[in-house]
Amino acid sequence: MKPTNRSKLTVASLLLSTCFLLVPGALAQDKVIAAKDVEWGYLNPARGDKSPGAADLWGDRTKDTATGMLVRFNKGFESPPHIHNITYRGIVIEGEMHNDDPNAAKMWMPTGSFWTQPAGENHTTAANDKTNLIYLEIDEGPYIVKPSKEHFDNGERPINVHADNMVWLHETDTANISATGVSSAYLWGDTHSLYGSFVKLPQGFEGEIVAKSDEFKAVVISGSLKYDNVKTLDPGSYFTLSKGALSRIENEGNKPSIVYVRATSPYQVKDSK
């Protein structure tokens, strides 16, 4: 039977959809931001250069929406005791950071450390190295600093995980790993809805990361990656992938690279060698 115009259109549409699923790197809605191209402002514009620097990678910290941002601190920075209106997560990209109760002894957290700060809990934040950079993430906004006297208990408890205490697994529910030397670590959330994890790529890694969910956002925490043989992504760089899309990744550095991933279901990491 001779195919109708409608059947031809259907076949063509299927072929086109398949091509899009296999295209490496960015589809039209995907995004890649190299660290060197980040546009900086201030976390608290009213304080000017006395405020930590800040840059939204996605979302808008001034609105009621989820947001991921970079925040950088000068050496010796220490905030007065304060609270936030919302809970946030922090990941150390560079330097040494402390975040705890105002009376707690300093525990300096290096690159690859992770903490959570519950809404309403009194705390201070301090930086100890020449350059200090973190990735900060909220699930709702706006991000506001308030005085300690307004503290409240929202039922959550803080978490401080030093990089040395991170538990790395080669086969987990957070990622489908089929690549030599790659490991992942669970950080927060539910792998059946929304969660955050680390994926560690060994020196010399050449392979692919494949998105399996509607939301896939990634931030380079350490190391230097070549993205789709085009862009170099240093710590603080950011990329997204659409469901079914993949990015070719090469670890160009002389040490393992860590990438933070926010996703709504497990993603896949594959060798290309």
Side-chain angles (χ1 to χ4, degrees):
M1 184 176 70
K2 185 177 180 180
T4 64
N5 288 336
R6 183 176 179 181
S7 65
K8 289 179 181 179
L9 181 61
T10 302
V11 172
S13 300
L14 287 172
L15 289 173
L16 182 60
S17 299
T18 303
C19 289
F20 272 117
L21 286 174
L22 295 177
V23 170
L27 298 181
Q29 61 268 47
D30 291 333
K31 190 173 186 179
V32 182
I33 301 176
K36 64 182 179 62
D37 298 325
V38 168
E39 297 182 5
W40 288 92
Y42 292 115
L43 193 62
N44 183 355
R47 296 192 66 202
D49 60 8
K50 294 181 180 179
S51 168
D56 291 347
L57 295 178
W58 58 274
D60 185 338
R61 64 184 181 275
T62 67
K63 297 180 180 179
D64 184 12
T65 185
T67 304
M69 68 186 95
L70 298 178
V71 184
R72 60 186 180 191
F73 305 83
N74 294 328
K75 180 177 175 60
F77 172 88
E78 183 162 4
S79 70
H82 63 284
I83 70 165
H84 295 282
N85 61 314
I86 44 82
T87 296
Y88 78 80
R89 309 177 191 96
I91 298 172
V92 183
I93 296 176
E94 186 176 359
E96 292 182 326
M97 297 296 301
H98 167 82
N99 192 86
D100 212 327
D101 182 273
N103 298 317
K106 294 291 192 296
M107 183 184 82
W108 297 112
M109 295 184 288
T111 299
S113 299
F114 167 75
W115 82 86
T116 64
Q117 182 58 52
E121 181 162 310
N122 194 30
H123 68 287
T124 62
T125 302
N128 192 49
D129 215 336
K130 183 177 180 181
T131 303
N132 304 275
L133 178 66
I134 70 168
Y135 171 71
L136 190 155
E137 186 175 88
I138 57 177
D139 289 332
E140 58 182 337
Y143 176 90
I144 300 173
V145 178
K146 294 187 174 186
S148 297
K149 64 182 181 181
E150 297 186 29
H151 70 90
F152 59 91
D153 186 349
N154 77 340
E156 297 178 72
R157 296 297 173 258
I159 298 171
N160 286 281
V161 184
H162 190 283
D164 290 347
N165 292 332
M166 199 65 61
V167 178
W168 294 98
L169 303 171
H170 291 273
E171 294 181 8
T172 76
D173 289 334
T174 64
N176 176 6
I177 298 172
S178 54
T180 304
V182 174
S183 55
S184 65
Y186 168 85
L187 297 178
W188 63 272
D190 184 342
T191 57
H192 297 290
S193 56
L194 179 65
Y195 72 104
S197 65
F198 281 156
V199 58
K200 184 189 291 185
L201 308 173
Q203 178 183 354
F205 172 81
E206 294 181 25
E208 298 165 349
I209 296 179
V210 185
K212 299 289 186 178
S213 57
D214 293 328
E215 180 174 354
F216 181 100
K217 296 179 172 69
V219 179
V220 180
I221 303 302
S222 68
S224 180
L225 300 178
K226 179 69 79 175
Y227 182 93
D228 282 343
N229 300 315
V230 177
K231 283 199 172 186
T232 295
L233 301 184
D234 293 319
S237 299
Y238 163 72
F239 65 92
T240 68
L241 288 175
S242 304
K243 186 174 183 179
L246 62 86
S247 64
R248 294 193 178 97
I249 296 292
E250 180 181 349
N251 183 355
E252 296 185 309
N254 56 8
K255 61 181 180 180
S257 177
I258 296 174
V259 179
Y260 168 74
V261 175
R262 173 188 171 101
T264 48
S265 67
Y267 48 96
Q268 185 175 20
V269 185
K270 304 188 296 182
D271 264 326
S272 61
K273 293 182 177 180

